[in-house]
Amino acid sequence: MNNIRLKSSLDRASLDNRLQYEPEIIELYLRTEDLEQESLIRERIRELKQRGIRVYLHHPSRYNGKYLDIMSTEPEMYRFYRESTQQLVRICLEEGSQCVIHANYLHSENDEISRERTIAMRHEIEEILTYGRDALLWEDSTEGLFCYANPYLIDEVIVPLKLPTNVDVSHTFISFRGDNDRLREVLERTAPYAIYYHLVDSMGQFHDSLPLGQGRIDWKMVKSFVQGKEYIFE
C-alpha cells in the first residue's frame, strides 16, 4: 500500500498528473457541465478500475454559479439537485462506484439551524435515499444544517436513517472552531456510519486546506478512527 489517495477532475491533464503517483484511490470532482458527458464519466471510472484504482465521484457543488442546497427554495436548483443525483446514483450502481454528496455548503442559501428544519432536511434526504442509498456518501459542511455543529444532525438525521457518511475532518474541526475534543466526539458518534473520510489539516477558523501536520488537528487521535476505512488526502 503506497497510501496515495487523491482528487482529480475529469480532465485528461489533471488525471494524468495524479496517475504518475500510482494512487490507490481517486475521487473525481465533477462540475455541472460534466454531467452532460455521462459517457466520459463512465470511461474514466472504467479506465481507473482497470488500473486497480478505487474510484469515488463527487457531486457538483454549484448550479448556475450558486452553491447547491437540498432545501433550496429555487425550483431550478431543487430540480437539478435531484435529477443530477439520480443520474450519478445510476452511474455508480452500474459502474461499481460511490458518490460523495453535500446537503448544503458554506454559502448555501439556507443556514438557519433548528430541530424542525433538521427534521425537514431528513425527509428530503430520505426521499433521495430511495434512488439508491448505498451509492451515496453524505459529507458535512462547515456551517448550515448538515454540519456537525448542528446539535440535531446526528440524532435526528444520521442515526435514524443509518446514513452512510463521508466525514470531512477539517470541515468538522472548523465547525467547532478548532476544538479537537468536539472533533473526537463526532468521530466516535459517526464511526458506525462513516464509510469514507476526507483528510486535510486546518487551523480551525476557516476553510484553509492545509497539508497534514501544518494545522492544529490531532492526527494521532484521528488515525485511530480512520484506520481500516477508505479516505483521501485533499
Side-chain angles (χ1 to χ4, degrees):
M1 183 174 73
N2 59 12
N3 218 25
I4 304 295
R5 297 140 183 259
L6 304 168
K7 258 188 179 176
S8 175
S9 69
L10 288 183
D11 296 341
R12 187 74 253 172
S14 174
L15 202 58
D16 286 343
N17 174 270
R18 276 48 168 188
L19 288 174
Q20 69 179 310
Y21 300 106
E22 300 183 358
E24 298 167 90
I25 295 174
I26 284 184
E27 183 177 314
L28 295 171
Y29 197 97
L30 303 175
R31 301 164 297 184
T32 303
E33 53 267 32
D34 291 331
L35 301 186
E36 298 171 6
Q37 306 179 80
E38 182 171 321
S39 60
L40 180 59
I41 297 173
R42 291 177 183 270
E43 180 183 313
R44 295 288 191 251
I45 293 173
R46 292 171 187 174
E47 174 191 348
L48 294 173
K49 289 179 71 176
Q50 285 176 355
R51 291 172 173 257
I53 299 168
R54 300 190 295 283
V55 185
Y56 290 84
L57 305 180
H58 193 295
H59 190 273
S61 60
R62 305 185 195 207
Y63 178 69
N64 284 342
K66 294 182 179 179
Y67 282 98
L68 289 172
D69 191 321
I70 196 172
M71 301 280 282
S72 178
T73 57
E74 297 183 21
E76 278 300 300
M77 182 177 286
Y78 189 88
R79 176 197 59 77
F80 174 79
Y81 189 103
R82 280 144 187 80
E83 290 183 356
S84 59
T85 302
Q86 284 182 310
Q87 179 184 6
L88 291 172
V89 164
R90 186 179 67 253
I91 292 170
C92 286
L93 292 177
E94 293 173 0
E95 301 294 343
S97 188
Q98 288 177 295
C99 183
V100 174
I101 186 169
H102 279 255
N104 66 268
Y105 287 84
L106 171 61
H107 300 295
S108 299
E109 62 181 284
N110 300 301
D111 57 7
E112 175 195 347
I113 292 176
S114 68
R115 182 172 181 270
E116 292 71 24
R117 283 178 52 75
T118 302
I119 292 171
M121 178 179 68
R122 182 181 76 210
H123 294 320
E124 297 288 350
I125 291 173
E126 196 166 18
E127 179 186 339
I128 286 174
L129 290 177
T130 64
Y131 303 165
R133 64 173 289 126
D134 293 337
L136 297 171
L137 302 173
W138 295 81
E139 180 177 348
D140 54 303
S141 189
T142 59
E143 293 183 14
L145 282 175
F146 206 101
C147 161
Y148 288 115
N150 174 358
Y152 311 105
L153 178 61
I154 294 177
D155 290 329
E156 296 292 353
V157 179
I158 292 174
V159 172
L161 295 180
K162 296 182 173 59
L163 194 68
T165 61
N166 166 49
V167 178
D168 187 303
V169 173
S170 73
H171 290 175
T172 305
F173 190 63
I174 294 164
S175 75
F176 293 122
R177 298 298 180 261
D179 188 329
N180 273 296
D181 291 334
R182 299 291 298 278
L183 171 59
R184 174 192 283 274
E185 181 183 348
V186 168
L187 292 174
E188 287 174 346
R189 297 202 62 203
T190 57
Y193 313 101
I195 308 296
Y196 186 56
Y197 294 84
H198 282 173
L199 306 182
V200 58
D201 217 336
S202 173
M203 297 303 290
Q205 301 305 310
F206 57 89
H207 203 288
D208 41 358
S209 300
L210 302 175
L212 270 63
Q214 294 189 17
R216 295 179 49 241
I217 293 175
D218 181 352
W219 290 106
K220 183 177 180 181
M221 176 271 290
V222 172
K223 183 179 178 181
S224 64
F225 294 98
V226 173
Q227 278 185 315
K229 295 196 176 182
E230 297 278 67
Y231 56 87
I232 62 163
F233 298 105
E234 289 195 294

